[in-house]
Amino acid sequence: MLDLVQSRSVTLGAGRLVCVDGPAGSGKTTLAGALRDLSPGSGLVHLDELLDGWSGLAGVDRRLDPLLLPLARGEAGRYERYDWIAGRFVEWVPVPPTPLLILEGVGSGSLRHAALCTALIWVEVDDDLRLRRGMARDGEAMRAHWERWMRDERAHFVDHDTRARADMVV
């Protein structure tokens, strides 16, 4: 995958952007971490930190503007970090330009910033496994949130044609 990314022109200022998208619980975080480890000096941003809670998927592409648009100009970007325990945004996190930025999470491959994406990786597993992983991580009390989230993300992926636009499916 990194060979594919390096073979393409820069798209984010002097750097490149890899978006690791797909349904929750599919393994995106693990894959994104492995990509970062293979590319010393790369940056990694998790979209979970940009979501406005369980209902935040609809606005996540707009929340990427302060991060990606300055980076596209070669300037530092930033994002407002959401604290899931406090239930609110708590701080701005600076992100300096880097040769490779990995953007991981549901909605990272949205159409709004498709022109800035060097490569889009789609990660998927079956819904039953995703839900089991979610319950193992977040607890059974979060099942209703997960089920609503799964409906929201399906609609988002249809609207953005994310899987069909992917350069690689894992």
Side-chain angles (χ1 to χ4, degrees):
M1 171 45 90
L2 288 176
D3 289 340
L4 170 68
V5 172
Q6 294 301 321
S7 74
R8 293 186 173 176
S9 299
V10 295
T11 56
L12 199 60
R16 293 174 175 85
L17 174 65
V18 172
C19 298
V20 182
D21 206 335
S26 60
K28 297 178 304 298
T29 302
T30 301
L31 178 61
L35 287 173
R36 182 195 56 214
D37 292 346
L38 291 171
S39 182
S42 62
L44 175 58
V45 173
H46 300 282
L47 257 67
D48 287 358
E49 294 190 351
L50 282 82
L51 295 169
D52 190 0
W54 286 100
S55 59
L57 182 56
V60 74
D61 54 352
R62 289 184 305 280
R63 299 201 64 78
L64 286 168
D65 285 351
L67 172 66
L68 297 179
L69 299 181
L71 287 170
R73 296 188 303 266
E75 303 165 4
R78 66 186 191 148
Y79 65 90
E80 195 171 17
R81 186 181 68 79
Y82 186 81
D83 182 318
W84 285 81
I85 303 300
R88 62 185 172 84
F89 289 97
V90 294
E91 66 183 338
W92 284 93
V93 177
V95 178
T98 181
L100 177 64
L101 177 65
I102 302 162
L103 188 60
E104 175 275 324
V106 177
S108 63
S110 71
L111 286 169
R112 184 178 181 104
H113 302 101
L116 300 177
C117 181
T118 307
L120 173 58
I121 304 171
W122 174 266
V123 183
E124 65 185 7
V125 297
D126 68 74
D127 286 349
D128 290 338
L129 177 56
R130 295 185 321 110
L131 191 56
R132 281 196 311 274
R133 287 176 175 174
M135 295 306 91
R137 183 186 71 195
D138 299 336
E140 189 63 36
M142 303 307 286
R143 180 175 290 273
H145 288 296
W146 262 84
E147 289 172 345
R148 186 183 75 226
W149 177 263
M150 291 170 80
R151 288 188 300 274
D152 290 349
E153 68 185 6
R154 273 192 290 274
H156 173 87
F157 294 140
V158 168
D159 290 346
H160 292 262
D161 200 25
T162 315
R163 188 182 194 282
R165 293 185 300 106
D167 296 291
M168 177 181 285
V169 175
V170 178

